[in-house]
Structure formats: structure tokens, C-alpha cells
Amino acid sequence: MKIGIITDIHNNLIALESVLNEIENSCDYIICCGDIIGIGPYPNETVQRMIKIKNLIAVMGNHERYLLEGMPNEVPNEEHMDFEEIKHHKWEHRQLSNSSIEFLKSLPYSRELEIEGKKIFITHYAMNDENKYNSFGNNIEKLFSSVDADIIIYGHNHSKNICNTDKLYINVGSLGCPANDRIIARYGILEITDGYVNIETKESKYDSKSVIKKINELNYPASNEIKKFFYGIN
């Protein structure tokens, strides 16, 4: 069984297409750990492309939750958003078609699979009983201590992290927000064969200049901050 893993696409259609060209036809499944939307310049196009993936297993991220649960109206707030960030999300939500919204709202917080005897847990990040994200920092075992699974696949913090202890923890890193590595879209390939498990993280080069050009053309709220913090452009 060959499984592609992607997470934190963040409206970066160009990076997504680059990765899908490498894995869409060669993997039995493609797992997405959420945050399909947010930040980048192609909100509706990105969601529509995800809908077309026939073998997709996806969960909801915090950016999908902003769409589902609504945005803060005041600053300060629990999400630590300023007014420009709030405006950005409202702008983005207006770009989404009805079919895109319905797809994103249909995503669960987590998924559980069993493949060749291996229990797999898929989520955007570890959550507590109140469905809020835990804050245990880099203590990955504490974060997911309540999860009964052999393999835990997650995203959210954009950093690649593979940890193999009593469980295999997999975060392949953000596909759509490369920060200083502006031409890199990150993803992973998980293979499970006869009980043997192997994870390989990969990088795909794409035309990042076209993404920045599109951001500049649209000039949507918080775009200068987005270019700085998520694309490494001062």
C-alpha cells in the first residue's frame, strides 16, 4: 500500500499541482491533514482541485474551522488574530463557491484507518476534550498520548517532523507555505507492505514567482504580512 501525505496547502494551487503531478496516479490513497485554505492567492481553485482527487482522505484544519465556526469579531481574541488577519479570512471566504464551502464543511476533525493491521490516526493537530488545539510544544508523545494508533499523521505547525518511538509520528511539513525555501513544496510517501512501514519525505520544486505575482495582483488583506512570514519575502 502506497499513500501520499500532504498538509497545510494554504491556497497554493501551483505548489499543489506540482506535488499531485508526482503522486496522484501512483498512490493508492492521498491523505491531507487539513488547512487546505488560508493565506495563499487561489482559494476556490485549490479547493476545487482537491475535490477532484478520487482517492482523497482529508480532515479539517483550523483554517477550515474559521469557515465552519465563524471569525472573531474583536481584538484581542482566542485565535490571536489582528484585524487584518480577520479581514483576510473574510475576503477568502467570499471567494469560495457553494460546492467548495460544502466540501470543506464536510471534513471531519480526524479519521481513523486500519491498513494491513496498522492503525492510522489522521488529524490536523492534537485536540483536547473541548476541541481546542493542545499546547504541549514539541512533546509529541504528550500531545497525542490519548490516541490509540500505530501511526499518527498530522500537520499544523508547518515543520517537518518524523518521530519513531512506540508509535510513528508523521508531519511532512507544509506543502503551500515554504517560508525561506520559496521553491519547495513538501509532501511524503508512506508505504505499508506485509507489516513493514516506511515513510519518505520529499520536496517538489514549483514556480513560486507566479504565486507571489498573483498575491501582488490581488493585493488582498494581510498580503504583505503573508509574503513576509509565509514566503520569506521582506
Side-chain angles (χ1 to χ4, degrees):
M1 183 72 68
K2 190 175 182 180
I3 303 166
I5 301 174
I6 58 178
T7 188
D8 296 270
I9 300 160
H10 286 302
N11 292 335
N12 192 335
L13 177 68
I14 308 303
L16 176 63
E17 290 284 15
S18 179
V19 170
L20 290 179
N21 284 338
E22 298 181 16
I23 66 173
E24 189 170 19
N25 295 322
S26 61
C27 290
D28 299 290
Y29 296 103
I30 293 177
I31 288 173
C32 176
C33 296
D35 275 8
I36 296 168
I37 60 171
I39 298 172
Y42 302 99
N44 198 60
E45 299 92 330
T46 301
V47 179
Q48 289 296 311
R49 182 65 181 90
M50 292 293 291
I51 291 172
K52 294 178 182 178
I53 301 174
K54 296 179 181 179
N55 52 352
L56 179 69
I57 300 171
V59 296
M60 180 180 296
N62 55 294
H63 283 259
E64 285 78 49
R65 294 182 69 174
Y66 300 150
L67 175 66
L68 176 65
E69 300 173 4
M71 300 296 303
N73 292 314
E74 297 179 349
V75 174
N77 51 69
E78 287 187 355
E79 300 297 333
H80 306 290
M81 287 187 193
D82 61 25
F83 285 117
E84 275 299 293
E85 289 178 273
I86 293 171
K87 288 179 183 178
H88 164 72
H89 291 293
K90 289 181 176 180
W91 169 84
E92 170 197 39
H93 296 167
R94 290 194 298 269
Q95 313 309 309
L96 298 172
S97 66
N98 289 336
S99 62
S100 292
I101 291 171
E102 289 305 309
F103 169 76
L104 294 173
K105 287 186 174 182
S106 73
L107 298 176
Y109 290 134
S110 63
R111 295 283 301 271
E112 296 181 21
L113 309 174
E114 185 165 334
I115 296 176
E116 297 196 21
K118 298 294 182 180
K119 293 181 180 180
I120 303 174
F121 181 78
I122 305 159
T123 190
H124 185 58
Y125 201 64
M127 293 196 296
N128 59 29
D129 294 337
E130 298 176 349
N131 281 337
K132 294 183 178 180
Y133 293 114
N134 285 326
S135 56
F136 296 130
N138 294 323
N139 190 332
I140 197 71
E141 292 178 301
K142 189 174 182 180
L143 272 171
F144 293 103
S145 61
S146 63
V147 175
D148 178 21
D150 302 299
I151 303 169
I152 297 172
I153 306 174
Y154 69 102
H156 186 54
N157 61 15
H158 294 192
S159 299
K160 180 176 71 175
N161 183 37
I162 309 298
C163 180
N164 195 353
T165 56
D166 60 322
K167 302 172 183 177
L168 175 59
Y169 302 90
I170 300 173
N171 183 349
V172 298
S174 174
L175 181 151
C177 289
N180 293 325
D181 298 323
R182 291 192 295 277
I183 61 171
I184 298 301
R186 298 174 179 87
Y187 68 102
I189 299 292
L190 175 67
E191 294 192 66
I192 306 175
T193 307
D194 298 328
Y196 176 75
V197 178
N198 182 65
I199 175 67
E200 184 177 0
T201 57
K202 291 180 174 290
E203 298 175 343
S204 180
K205 293 184 178 181
Y206 68 96
D207 181 10
S208 62
K209 291 182 180 179
S210 65
V211 179
I212 301 303
K213 181 180 179 182
K214 187 67 173 180
I215 293 174
N216 290 335
E217 288 175 358
L218 294 172
N219 193 29
Y220 49 79
S223 58
N224 286 333
E225 292 84 355
I226 283 169
K227 286 186 292 183
K228 178 178 178 180
F229 290 110
F230 296 107
Y231 291 90
I233 294 177
N234 294 315

